[in-house]
Amino acid sequence: MRALSCLAAIALVLVCGRALAAEDEAPNHKPVKVVADARLSVGGHGLLPLYLSSDWSMPLPAISRAVIVLHGRLRNADEYYISAHTAQVAAGEDGKSALMIVPQFLAEVDIEAHKLPADTLRWSPEEWEGGDAALAPNPVPSFEALDAILAKLSDRRIFPNLKQVVVAGHSGGGQVVQRYAIAGKGEAALSRQHIDVRYVVANPSSYAYFSAERPVPAVAASCAGFNNWKYGMDERPPYLADATPAALEQRYVERDVIYLLGTLDTKPAADKSCMGEAQGPHRYARGHAYADAMAKRDHGTPNHRVWDVAGVGHDGDKMLASKCGLAALFDIPGCGAER
């Protein structure tokens, strides 16, 4: 009986230990609840799941605008698709001529949990955010997957009347958009078709700097790797290796970028690493500090705008559906918050 009691106690400890470990597990290391239903082949190297508001396997002559909304670290594309739809509805008639697209960058744990086919692309839970290569089925950079979406939108047989593409993201998605605006190569295919591209960066926790200067230099001085990608230009992944920092910066300042910053997003930022803390105390401060730093660089005036969204904190739905959010996504007048 004593032996059985001991075994029971050991079993209880093991079960409790697993439960505590599960509770302590980083949320982005857990499988997603829902996988997007559409698929896009990325150069024949793997399939990217994504949500689409219209079937793009056939011509869409009524579509004049495409809005790509990127999820954050949790890979919860289903929730971001709802946010995208909310903004589309709020845009009224302007939203009806838009195609809403939400790609999903899955991890290995998602493939296993949902028993997805082997040709489904998957990345590490964090590295996809900076453009690193997929783990399987082939080493496709996550930014190359975004390039594939833009290449699809450049097909005039499907989109004969497309005039503008907007790449947008809030929070973690905003971080990805800001880096893709620096690194992305997909804009070239759209430019050849005379399709404008805009990048909307909403309330991210951090930015990629082009110099070693930071708003909080004391933190940067004590932070090893503070200037590594995705916070700076050192140790960039292979996708960015064919361009110098100067060339990347020149490309970035020429691109149409809108920083959407909630005036109440002043709680401590989610990125509490020393690399993030070197950029300022909270998202609102970090956004203005970065835009100010870019304006002072010796590269000409950036084609960038900073729009404050008054009375809104860290809320993706409210940011994208605000007057400034609708102006950024759909060119609807009424923002009036540029600084």
Side-chain angles (χ1 to χ4, degrees):
M1 289 295 292
R2 286 191 186 128
L4 289 173
S5 296
C6 286
L7 287 172
I10 292 170
L12 180 61
V13 168
L14 289 173
V15 169
C16 290
R18 290 193 192 101
L20 288 172
E23 289 178 4
D24 292 340
E25 184 181 7
N28 65 313
H29 285 231
K30 298 176 182 178
V32 297
K33 295 179 181 178
V34 184
V35 176
D37 52 1
R39 297 292 183 273
L40 173 67
S41 176
V42 180
H45 300 303
L47 297 180
L48 177 73
L50 68 172
Y51 288 103
L52 299 168
S53 61
S54 298
D55 181 4
W56 65 4
S57 66
M58 59 186 70
L60 294 171
I63 296 299
S64 60
R65 180 186 304 268
V67 180
I68 304 166
V69 178
L70 299 185
H71 63 70
R73 183 165 286 196
L74 296 182
R75 309 184 302 283
N76 49 341
D78 56 320
E79 296 179 20
Y80 277 78
Y81 186 60
I82 293 172
S83 294
H85 178 70
T86 299
Q88 183 182 23
V89 171
E93 290 299 316
D94 294 290
K96 293 179 180 178
S97 59
L99 171 66
M100 309 303 288
I101 306 167
V102 180
Q104 191 170 32
F105 295 89
L106 297 175
E108 188 68 52
V109 65
D110 305 318
I111 308 299
E112 297 170 356
H114 294 275
K115 298 180 172 56
L116 298 175
D119 59 356
T120 306
L121 287 164
R122 77 294 303 260
W123 287 264
S124 80
E126 291 88 19
E127 300 306 320
W128 67 272
E129 296 174 315
D132 276 11
L135 301 176
N138 291 291
V140 179
S142 57
F143 288 168
E144 194 170 305
L146 292 175
D147 291 344
I149 296 175
L150 299 191
K152 175 73 175 182
L153 293 172
S154 72
D155 187 347
R156 284 301 190 186
R157 295 169 299 178
I158 305 297
F159 301 100
N161 298 309
L162 188 66
K163 295 179 176 62
Q164 186 172 57
V165 173
V166 179
V167 186
H170 176 264
S171 191
Q175 293 188 53
V176 180
V177 172
Q178 197 266 328
R179 275 73 176 190
Y180 185 71
I182 292 172
K185 303 170 185 176
E187 183 174 322
L190 294 167
S191 296
R192 286 192 291 269
Q193 298 299 328
H194 307 288
I195 299 169
D196 295 331
V197 183
R198 174 181 298 158
Y199 304 90
V200 179
V201 180
N203 290 342
S205 284
S206 66
Y207 299 79
Y209 275 74
F210 292 97
S211 77
E213 297 180 4
R214 293 295 184 274
V216 189
V219 174
S222 62
C223 179
F226 80 96
N227 202 43
N228 289 347
W229 183 262
K230 60 188 176 101
Y231 300 91
M233 291 295 116
D234 297 341
E235 298 188 15
R236 302 184 306 281
Y239 181 92
L240 288 80
D242 62 347
T244 65
L248 291 170
E249 183 175 10
Q250 191 58 46
R251 178 195 300 172
Y252 184 58
V253 299
E254 292 172 357
R255 287 181 166 171
D256 181 6
V257 178
I258 295 176
Y259 305 102
L260 276 184
L261 304 175
T263 61
L264 298 185
D265 200 351
T266 54
K267 294 181 180 179
D271 187 344
K272 295 179 175 60
S273 67
C274 62
M275 294 84 77
E277 292 295 325
Q279 298 190 13
H282 47 70
R283 295 181 182 91
Y284 183 68
R286 292 179 186 183
H288 277 288
Y290 183 76
D292 290 345
M294 288 301 300
K296 294 174 183 175
R297 299 277 294 161
D298 185 20
H299 46 43
T301 303
N303 187 25
H304 300 173
R305 289 165 283 176
V306 183
W307 290 354
D308 280 359
V309 182
V312 177
H314 200 67
D315 187 316
D317 282 340
K318 290 182 179 179
M319 288 292 294
L320 296 182
S322 68
K323 288 184 178 180
C324 287
L326 296 178
L329 299 183
F330 301 99
D331 285 309
I332 296 176
C335 175
E338 188 171 358
R339 285 183 53 179

